[in-house]
Amino acid sequence: MSNVVCVEHPLMEHSLTILRDKHTDTESFRHHAGIVSQIMVITATSDIPMTEKQIETPLAEMTGHHILHSVVFVPVLRAGISMLFPARNFLPWAPVGFIGLERDEATAIAREYYQKFPKNLKDKQVLVLDPMLATGGSLVDTIDALKKKGAVSIAAVCIVAAPEGIELLSQKHPDVRIYTAAIDSHLNEFKYIVPGLGDFGDRYFGTL
Ligand code: PRP
Ligand code: URA
């Protein structure tokens, strides 16, 4: 699919394998989630707008480049918080919007419990951060909400995606590019990604 970018890198493969391993403890899970998120954010920002900037090095004048303040991060609570910290290290000035969504354990349908977005989304490049794209319900709801508030340029930054979620998101929001580190096999009967890595939020926050 042309709207999906699956990022491949040996550092990514290494850290993703540690995230997937059920024996990985919380400390290690957080560490490697940070590495994977950094690589994803670097890739997802590879076409953000820049302007030229005249500077002087100690030896000469030169034309450098400066990133325009045009990016907004929107982590999907709670697991998306894990990707916000690494993202903020690269663009510490970027405004952050939040949406809180929680899947019902029985139906796997997400319920929204919080929303706070920055103003003027129309002129911004919005990067939605959510490590798991399973049924796609959470990301579809998030992007619906962002478009309602005026956002036009939106990308989803994930870590593991299921084909079912990619399909739904691409159908509902074909204009949204999806960045992911892996496209897994399928969803199980409880709508968990297989082979996946289990419940990302619980593993990252130690609430298993
Ligand atoms: C997880 C994950 C996504 C969502 C993906 O969140 O972080 O937001 O499920 O599933 P979907 O594509 O089927 O909607 P969860 O609801 O478990 O909440 P949490 O982040 O608070 O753990
Ligand atoms: N949310 C997760 O954290 N993991 C899954 O496999 C599906 C949804």
Side-chain angles (χ1 to χ4, degrees):
M1 278 188 185
S2 60
N3 64 326
V4 182
V5 179
C6 192
V7 180
E8 288 176 23
H9 193 289
L11 297 178
M12 178 80 91
E13 272 302 309
H14 177 83
S15 287
L16 189 53
T17 301
I18 292 169
L19 292 182
R20 288 184 188 280
D21 187 339
K22 71 176 186 181
H23 298 296
T24 298
D25 64 14
T26 305
E27 183 176 353
S28 193
F29 192 92
R30 286 181 179 163
H31 177 71
H32 289 280
I35 292 171
V36 169
S37 299
Q38 281 186 19
I39 299 170
M40 293 310 300
V41 171
I42 288 171
T43 309
T45 50
S46 55
D47 58 358
I48 57 172
M50 292 196 295
T51 54
E52 290 191 346
K53 183 178 180 185
Q54 290 304 124
I55 57 159
E56 285 175 46
T57 77
L59 302 180
E61 286 193 1
M62 67 165 280
T63 306
H65 291 91
H66 179 79
I67 293 174
L68 290 173
H69 284 204
S70 60
V71 176
V72 168
F73 294 119
V74 177
V76 180
L77 302 175
R78 147 191 82 141
I81 291 279
S82 63
M83 303 180 80
L84 175 64
F85 300 131
R88 248 189 18 175
N89 285 341
F90 291 120
L91 304 176
W93 42 261
V96 179
F98 291 94
I99 187 162
L101 291 167
E102 187 172 27
R103 292 200 326 172
D104 181 293
E105 285 190 7
T107 63
I109 295 170
R111 174 188 66 88
E112 182 177 324
Y113 59 86
Y114 186 76
Q115 190 187 114
K116 185 97 179 175
F117 296 143
K119 295 197 169 54
N120 304 323
L121 288 176
K122 186 167 79 64
D123 309 318
K124 307 286 189 197
Q125 187 155 346
V126 181
L127 295 184
V128 179
L129 310 174
D130 191 340
M132 306 304 276
L133 171 53
T135 63
S138 301
L139 276 180
V140 167
D141 290 354
T142 300
I143 292 161
D144 284 345
L146 284 164
K147 286 185 174 174
K148 233 181 248 172
K149 290 281 159 75
V152 178
S153 173
I154 305 171
V157 190
C158 309
I159 293 178
V160 181
E164 294 89 331
I166 290 176
E167 177 79 35
L168 182 75
L169 189 54
S170 307
Q171 190 194 316
K172 299 275 186 195
H173 295 291
D175 55 309
V176 170
R177 187 171 284 181
I178 304 166
Y179 294 91
T180 186
I183 301 173
D184 277 10
S185 165
H186 63 279
L187 296 177
N188 70 9
E189 70 215 272
F190 306 108
K191 308 294 182 197
Y192 272 78
I193 302 172
V194 182
L197 50 73
D199 190 305
F200 193 103
D202 280 344
R203 295 191 66 192
Y204 186 89
F205 290 106
T207 52
L208 273 173

